[in-house]
Amino acid sequence: MIDLRSDTVTLPTPSMYAAMAEARLGDDMRERDPTVVELEMLAARLTGMEDGLYVASGTMGNLVSVLAHTGRGGELLCDPDAHIARSEIGGFAQVAGLFHRYYKAARGCPDIASLKPMLKEKITAGSLATGIVCIETSHNHAGGTVIPLSVLEELRDLTKEQHIPLHIDGARVFNAAVALGVPVSEIAKYTDSITFCVSKGLSAPVGSLVCGSAEFIQRARLFRRMLGGAMRQAGVIAAAGIVALNEMVPQLVEDNRRAKAIAEGVSRVDSRFVDPNMTETNIVMIDVGHTGVSPAGWIKAMGERNVDLRSYGATRLRLVVHRHIDDIAVEQVVAAFADFNAKLAC
Ligand SMILES: *Cc1c(COP(=O)(O)O)cnc(C)c1O
């Protein structure tokens, strides 16, 4: 089965297993685990931040970041399709106690004109102050889109002027960075904090990193402990995270390239399925609305052709490319689309 449901299905590499077996261990909560510390330092270096914090998941990374920045006060601004709003069970509201407002975004890219009047440095008679602005790149629900550096720069200037923290949910920021052809630090330099996953395309089995100033990470570390996220001999899994960062970034170039190849191949079958220009990283959104067959019908038909994918909304399919998808699989996916599409025409 060609599994395109998500890049979270990636398995650890042989060199990750080797590193896990040899990892030096300690108690992550007490005197710290040396391998976790090494991963945190590496993450800080790659993002150009002062310090890093290893957390169980991207969801926990976003939550401790929001808590550390706001101290449970003020408004959270994000876009309506943000992962933090749609897929994190309202943690920022339920746990961090933050009221949220949505700014407009086009395919995951914040609309500055919409965001600007929403920023409030200070509490007023009628509204809370802005506690934090959250952005996302690459943008999951928008289909792996990347925020241009010029927009990040504008956002940085705007939020800095009013002393409002800016947080990047960068679960797949390495996919975004390779798409832009820059190191991750070129993205992270515009923000106060960033979360990214070493699971997903980077293929580590568990975990995410939060990076920011030393003082911010100190607070985030306390909130991680409050949430039950301080770990013990976590070096076992952190060792795989180190390999992920040292060895797996070039893989993401291949993942992005193959996603584009799938989009191009499927658009050659029928250009109404997808505009390949919309595939910026490793996620391909395919619209099957014009075929008269529902996404569920397509999923069944693709399953019969050994391709496993998911629906997205009423008319779309979502394909996520990762290291277990090779060039032959790309051809097979395109052939499966062509085959079922031809059946429909009869
Ligand atoms: C996957 C993802 C997360 C959450 O990561 P988990 O490790 O699954 O909790 C957060 N933000 C975005 C944009 C994601 O794609």
Side-chain angles (χ1 to χ4, degrees):
M1 206 68 172
I2 299 170
D3 193 346
L4 294 162
R5 291 170 305 157
S6 176
D7 50 9
T8 57
V9 303
T10 47
L11 298 173
T13 64
S15 73
M16 286 179 191
Y17 281 118
M20 289 163 83
E22 285 161 19
R24 286 196 305 129
L25 304 177
D27 188 321
D28 175 48
M29 195 202 285
R30 281 174 184 280
E31 72 280 358
R32 311 278 293 276
D33 174 294
T35 306
V36 171
V37 172
E38 188 184 332
L39 172 60
E40 291 172 341
M41 293 294 91
L42 177 58
R45 185 153 55 72
L46 291 173
T47 54
M49 297 289 197
E50 277 175 11
D51 205 355
L53 177 68
Y54 188 42
V55 291
S57 64
T59 301
M60 185 184 273
N62 285 332
L63 187 53
V64 299
S65 296
V66 163
L67 282 163
H69 279 306
T70 65
R72 308 186 80 243
E75 284 180 353
L76 176 143
L77 304 186
C78 64
D79 83 273
D81 283 326
H83 193 278
I84 199 169
R86 288 185 52 163
S87 307
E88 300 185 13
I89 331 292
F92 68 79
Q94 307 242 32
V95 183
L98 297 174
F99 181 69
H100 70 279
R101 295 173 72 208
Y102 295 140
Y103 54 77
K104 289 204 189 86
R107 300 181 67 243
C109 182
D111 176 43
I112 303 277
S114 148
L115 178 63
K116 197 170 174 180
M118 298 172 78
L119 296 174
K120 284 162 297 176
E121 185 176 354
K122 297 208 172 65
I123 200 160
T124 66
S127 68
L128 297 167
T130 309
I132 187 167
V133 175
C134 295
I135 57 177
E136 187 177 319
T137 190
S138 68
H139 198 289
N140 188 333
H141 290 284
T145 52
V146 178
I147 302 177
L149 295 177
S150 59
V151 174
L152 294 179
E153 191 175 357
E154 271 188 272
L155 282 167
R156 171 72 299 179
D157 291 346
L158 267 180
T159 50
K160 198 168 200 162
E161 221 169 76
Q162 306 202 41
H163 309 101
I164 295 167
L166 181 64
H167 173 71
I168 294 183
D169 175 359
R172 295 190 180 84
V173 73
F174 283 87
N175 289 87
V178 300
L180 290 170
V182 300
V184 162
S185 57
E186 279 299 305
I187 294 173
K189 76 178 186 190
Y190 296 110
T191 190
D192 295 295
S193 58
I194 184 163
T195 304
F196 66 83
C197 299
V198 286
S199 56
K200 301 195 171 166
L202 291 174
S203 301
V206 182
S208 289
L209 278 300
V210 178
C211 296
S213 71
E215 190 253 329
F216 163 81
I217 290 296
Q218 195 178 24
R219 271 180 285 135
R221 192 176 292 282
L222 283 177
F223 283 113
R224 182 186 75 150
R225 180 165 174 179
M226 183 194 286
L227 295 170
M231 295 178 273
R232 299 300 181 188
Q233 287 71 36
V236 171
I237 45 176
I242 293 169
V243 176
L245 291 176
N246 283 335
E247 297 181 7
M248 299 307 288
V249 177
Q251 174 64 45
L252 304 184
V253 178
E254 298 301 305
D255 295 349
N256 288 0
R257 176 181 65 75
R258 290 185 175 119
K260 180 78 92 180
I262 290 176
E264 283 167 352
V266 172
S267 86
R268 276 196 292 273
V269 174
D270 186 325
S271 63
R272 286 172 292 181
F273 279 126
V274 55
D275 173 356
N277 292 322
M278 298 293 149
T279 300
E280 297 179 37
T281 56
N282 67 325
I283 300 175
V284 189
M285 295 288 211
I286 295 178
D287 199 319
V288 295
H290 67 274
T291 65
V293 176
S294 68
W298 270 93
I299 289 172
K300 185 165 170 290
M302 288 296 109
E304 287 158 6
R305 290 161 178 78
N306 285 323
V307 179
D308 201 357
L309 35 78
R310 277 195 196 162
S311 63
Y312 190 88
T315 65
R316 285 189 291 175
L317 302 172
R318 181 174 182 269
L319 290 62
V320 188
V321 175
H322 49 78
R323 76 181 188 88
H324 302 303
I325 306 299
D326 58 15
D327 289 330
I328 294 164
V330 168
E331 280 175 32
Q332 287 167 338
V333 171
V334 174
F337 268 93
D339 184 55
F340 184 57
N341 194 58
K343 287 240 157 42
L344 290 178
C346 307

